[in-house]
Amino acid sequence: MSDTPEKLLTINPLADCAKIKALANEIRIQMLDLLRDQSLNVNQIAEQLGLPQSSTVTHLGILEKAGLIVTDVTKAKKGNQKLCRTSFQEILIQFPEKQTKDEEYVQVEMPIGIFNDFHVTAPCGLCSTESVIGYLDTMDSFLNPDRMKAGLLWCGSGWFEYKFPNNSIYDARPLKRLEFSMELSSETPGTNSNWPSDITMWVNNVETGTWVSPGDFGDKQGKFTPGWWKLEGSQYGLLKTFGITEEGTFVDGVKISDVTLADLHIADHHSIKMKIGVKEDARHLGGMNIFGRGFGNYGQGIILRLYY
């Protein structure tokens, strides 16, 4: 993994309140500014900002818990020291797009276990709200008929493909926008909120773009995650909306590629295929969790919306 911070963090204030609270303090903003281009230990930060060491530690702890900074333990002249650095160079706070009253859409929700094809590498597995399905780190477990009950899928790399009905071919109105909404995170043994992963989406075999997941979240139990699933495992993800229009492909309103609706040839197919995964040659090979009903914070499967 590179120590270079990611260029941009997009915060959805409806879903990432912890990050908003961490930013709502002038001292913590100064700390992020100070650490943008360098790594410093607690004493250096306290000295440069003229702060007591105790309050410096408190503020840094809040930033680290929110995933805005990371700390690395390194050797010092006497013992070890913690060096602090920022996770991101830029931070954007953006509300998700809202549907206007005159927009009409057709929606289909797909349970995450009803994939029509897959290819994954370990660590991998799936579970329902009651138990693990099959065996961990075994690809054959994803062929188990109980996969239809899955509320959580994970893999180190690879992909899952879903086939949705193409309801747009039965409507005379032109298609304006296609959206896929799902709860995602990175995947690592245990959890790590600073574990970037390049998660890519394909539609009708066309690569539409990549979103960088910031981490694998296990700081607290997911709103819907069952109690038997230990905190050592992934608890929740971020709700991401991949939207494709005539202007390009977007994630939560931020453009990630120039792939447009025309490139997908939607009208030529009776189904819409969506593949989501992590390439084996990804820059950030950080795995993937897909949260469905019964797990995570949003209680939904993968939702396709067709806007007219």
Side-chain angles (χ1 to χ4, degrees):
M1 291 293 180
S2 171
D3 288 340
T4 304
E6 289 302 299
K7 182 176 181 182
L8 176 66
L9 168 66
T10 302
I11 298 177
N12 174 359
L14 301 178
D16 299 334
C17 290
K19 290 183 174 61
I20 298 294
K21 291 177 181 178
L23 291 169
N25 181 279
E26 185 176 354
I27 291 174
R28 293 196 284 273
I29 294 294
Q30 291 174 356
M31 288 179 171
L32 290 174
D33 184 45
L34 182 65
L35 296 171
R36 274 193 302 165
D37 303 310
Q38 58 185 335
S39 296
L40 299 173
N41 63 33
V42 174
N43 290 334
Q44 292 169 325
I45 296 170
E47 181 180 348
Q48 292 197 36
L49 294 180
L51 297 171
Q53 189 181 55
S54 58
S55 60
T56 301
V57 170
T58 299
H59 286 298
L60 289 172
I62 293 171
L63 290 172
E64 184 175 17
K65 186 175 181 181
L68 297 173
I69 67 167
V70 293
T71 58
D72 302 305
V73 178
T74 61
K75 290 185 178 179
K77 292 182 178 179
K78 295 182 180 180
N80 295 325
Q81 65 174 346
K82 276 189 174 183
L83 288 179
C84 304
R85 55 186 171 87
T86 55
S87 304
F88 302 91
Q89 293 178 333
E90 300 178 52
I91 298 175
L92 172 67
I93 298 175
Q94 182 172 15
F95 285 91
E97 290 186 31
K98 288 187 176 181
Q99 176 197 346
T100 58
K101 291 183 179 179
D102 58 347
E103 278 190 313
E104 294 186 28
Y105 66 91
V106 174
Q107 175 173 304
V108 177
E109 179 175 349
M110 185 71 66
I112 66 169
I114 307 184
F115 44 84
N116 67 289
D117 199 2
F118 72 97
H119 175 75
V120 296
T121 64
C124 61
L126 67 167
C127 59
S128 69
T129 56
E130 299 174 350
S131 65
V132 171
I133 298 172
Y135 300 94
L136 296 179
D137 300 335
T138 304
M139 283 189 63
D140 289 348
S141 295
F142 293 90
L143 299 173
N144 191 313
D146 284 342
R147 67 186 177 89
M148 298 177 65
K149 304 175 183 177
L152 177 62
L153 308 173
W154 67 92
C155 63
S157 68
W159 45 264
F160 297 94
E161 185 179 76
Y162 299 85
K163 188 177 287 188
F164 291 78
N166 183 8
N167 294 309
S168 68
I169 62 176
Y170 306 109
D171 199 304
R173 295 170 297 175
L175 187 62
K176 175 183 177 182
R177 185 168 77 252
L178 177 153
E179 286 184 355
F180 287 99
S181 170
M182 65 199 91
E183 186 174 354
L184 300 168
S185 79
S186 310
E187 161 57 23
T188 183
T191 62
N192 188 337
S193 61
N194 184 48
W195 189 261
S197 185
D198 295 345
I199 297 179
T200 300
M201 187 180 77
W202 296 258
V203 178
N204 288 350
N205 299 319
V206 176
E207 182 177 330
T208 60
T210 297
W211 167 69
V212 182
S213 170
D216 182 3
F217 306 108
D219 56 308
K220 58 184 178 181
Q221 187 173 0
K223 180 178 179 182
F224 297 100
T225 301
W228 67 267
W229 184 250
K230 295 181 179 180
L231 273 175
E232 288 80 3
S234 308
Q235 292 293 315
Y236 62 91
L238 301 177
L239 187 66
K240 309 310 294 183
T241 300
F242 291 75
I244 305 169
T245 71
E246 295 175 350
E247 285 74 43
T249 300
F250 302 79
V251 173
D252 297 337
V254 178
K255 191 171 185 178
I256 60 170
S257 82
D258 292 324
V259 175
T260 67
L261 279 174
D263 297 319
L264 306 181
H265 303 286
I266 299 295
D268 296 341
H269 306 278
H270 283 269
S271 64
I272 298 174
K273 291 193 296 185
M274 187 279 291
K275 186 165 69 174
I276 189 79
V278 178
K279 299 178 182 178
E280 293 184 4
D281 62 351
R283 176 171 174 251
H284 298 108
L285 186 59
M288 177 179 68
N289 280 282
I290 306 177
F291 298 83
R293 289 194 174 272
F295 276 82
N297 281 344
Y298 295 93
Q300 67 166 64
I302 298 174
I303 293 177
L304 165 67
R305 296 186 184 96
L306 301 172
Y307 288 84
Y308 299 97

